[in-house]
Every structure is written in C-alpha cells, then in structure tokens.
Amino acid sequence: CKMNEASRKISLDYVIKQSFKYWKSTLFYQLVFTIVYFSSLFILGNFLANYYEIYPKINEIAPLMSSNPDEFSLKFQEILLSENFKSFSMMTIVVVAIIYPMNIGFFKIYNQIDEKKEINLNDLFAGFSGTNFFKFFGYYLLWGGIYFYLKPLIIPGFLWIIYTIFVAPLLFFTPMNLIEAMKISFKVVAGNFFVIATCSILAIIFSYSGFFLFFFGLLFTFPFWNAIIYTLFKSYFRIKFV
C-alpha cells in the first residue's frame, strides 16, 4: 500500500460528493447494517445492564422522579459512580467490539463498486470472515479502551478519532500489523489534517442527523461515516486486496 502523491491535495468538495455517491448507491445495505448493529447493541447492552443490576436499581428509584426529583438525581448519581456502572461501561466496549467488524463490510462493498463488481449481502459481513473478526475485534478493544478515557476530555478524544481514521482500512486492505497501520495513519493525517478533520466533523454530523428525522432517519444516515473513511483512504492511498 503506497500513499497516492497525486491525490494529496484532494478537495473537501470531492470527498463529500464522492462519499454521498457511495452512500446513495448502497442505501439497502445501510438499512441492514443499522438494523443489525442497533439490534445487537440493544440485546447485548440490555443483558449487561441487567447483569450489573443497572436497570433494577434505576427502576427502584424511578418513582422518585415525580415525587422527589432532587432525591432521584442524588440516587441516580450514586448509580453512575458505582463500581457496577464502571464495570458496565467497560464491558460496553467489548459489546461494541463484537459488532464493530460490520463497519469493515462497507470498505469491501465500496471497493466492489469501484471495480464494477457485483455486490451482495455477504459482503457486508466481510469483517467477520476468517481471521478478520479477531483482527478487528482486538483493534476495537484497544481503540475503544483508549477512547473511553479520552472522550470526557473532548479535544483529545476527537483527535484520537481523527488520527486513527485510516487504521481499519489499512488493516483490511493491506498486510500491515496494527503498529504499522497506526504509524501510517498518524503520519498521513498529520500531513493533511484540515481536510481530514473537516470531513470527519461533517461525517459525524450527518451520521447522527437521522436522530432529528423522527429517529427513523438514523437507519440510513448512521453508517455514512464509513463512506467518508473509504473516500479519504482511496484518495490518499493506492489500495489493493492482498
């Protein structure tokens, strides 16, 4: 995998237009992705919330919400600061890591579109085939664990998202190991920060804009982030399956 020197000066306009092109041509797969992703997240998250007694404790104090809001707020804070909630929060990283490989399927789908090859539903689950699952499950455990501590700081959390943006596609399209992929990702982002950061912000805004369309819109907008990542990756690298 080599950096595509000719495309280092790609424009913001090009990335956005190309990303929307990928997104619009795969709406069915966006819908399937979101349904499977959030269904899995809900089922596994619900199990964890009950296992760590988060839901039962919230149900216990629920009547206080109307009768004594101040007491409810105090009790709710106690739940959030409890060891059980800390364990629950950490385990949610594992849950997301389990379903994270679904994102990788879009890289294959977009590449199939570029090569004018037929795409099918199995392509969406490319991240789970062979050793891919363990590779991306492990990667997200590391990524999510670091992000868990950086997220409250906002700026460092955002920079972590930006500087690791190319790691997943590098792991998928090349034989690079995690350390190599992270080094390359940091290097390319550092040299093209403005375009990549701006595209990332727009991707985050659009991905979650579905919340404002009676929530239903989220079924289509949520995976848009993957189209941005792939377009940026294709623009800055020459990629081939290995």
Side-chain angles (χ1 to χ4, degrees), residues 163-175:
Y163 276 94
T164 57
I165 194 170
F166 295 125
V167 176
L170 281 169
L171 291 176
F172 182 61
F173 288 114
T174 80

Side-chain angles (χ1 to χ4, degrees), residues 149-240:
Y149 291 102
L150 293 179
K151 181 169 59 174
L153 304 176
I154 302 177
I155 298 299
F158 176 71
L159 291 177
W160 177 242
I161 293 173
I162 301 304
Y163 276 94
T164 57
I165 194 170
F166 295 125
V167 176
L170 281 169
L171 291 176
F172 182 61
F173 288 114
T174 80
M176 286 185 186
N177 60 40
L178 180 57
I179 300 301
E180 292 171 332
M182 293 189 77
K183 285 181 179 178
I184 293 296
S185 183
F186 271 63
K187 180 180 178 180
V188 175
V189 172
N192 304 276
F193 185 81
F194 175 76
V195 170
I196 295 172
T198 304
C199 287
S200 298
I201 292 171
L202 293 174
I204 293 170
I205 292 172
F206 184 77
S207 291
Y208 290 95
S209 66
F211 274 122
F212 303 103
L213 298 173
F214 306 103
F215 186 78
F216 178 77
L218 190 70
L219 294 175
F220 296 99
T221 62
F222 182 68
F224 180 71
W225 174 252
N226 294 300
I228 286 284
I229 294 175
Y230 179 80
T231 304
L232 286 169
F233 183 72
K234 186 185 71 170
S235 300
Y236 289 111
F237 297 85
R238 296 189 185 97
I239 56 176
K240 287 184 178 181

Side-chain angles (χ1 to χ4, degrees), residues 95-114:
V95 167
V96 177
I98 291 173
I99 54 181
Y100 171 75
M102 275 200 73
N103 291 278
I104 308 305
F106 280 110
F107 299 155
K108 181 173 183 180
I109 288 173
Y110 297 145
N111 187 264
Q112 295 284 83
I113 291 174
D114 286 341

Side-chain angles (χ1 to χ4, degrees), residues 5-66:
E5 298 295 336
S7 64
R8 290 177 63 87
K9 296 181 180 180
I10 60 169
S11 68
L12 182 63
D13 182 61
Y14 167 78
V15 176
I16 299 301
K17 285 183 177 179
Q18 188 65 23
S19 298
F20 270 104
K21 179 181 176 182
Y22 287 130
W23 176 74
K24 287 189 296 183
S25 64
T26 55
L27 287 179
F28 170 73
Y29 298 98
Q30 315 283 338
L31 178 62
V32 173
F33 170 92
T34 310
I35 291 174
V36 174
Y37 186 92
F38 282 109
S39 295
S40 302
L41 194 63
F42 175 79
I43 293 170
L44 295 173
N46 196 58
F47 169 79
L48 286 179
N50 282 295
Y51 180 82
Y52 287 105
E53 300 182 342
I54 305 300
Y55 282 163
K57 289 181 179 179
I58 291 177
N59 288 333
E60 283 180 16
I61 66 172
L64 294 173
M65 191 181 298
S66 55

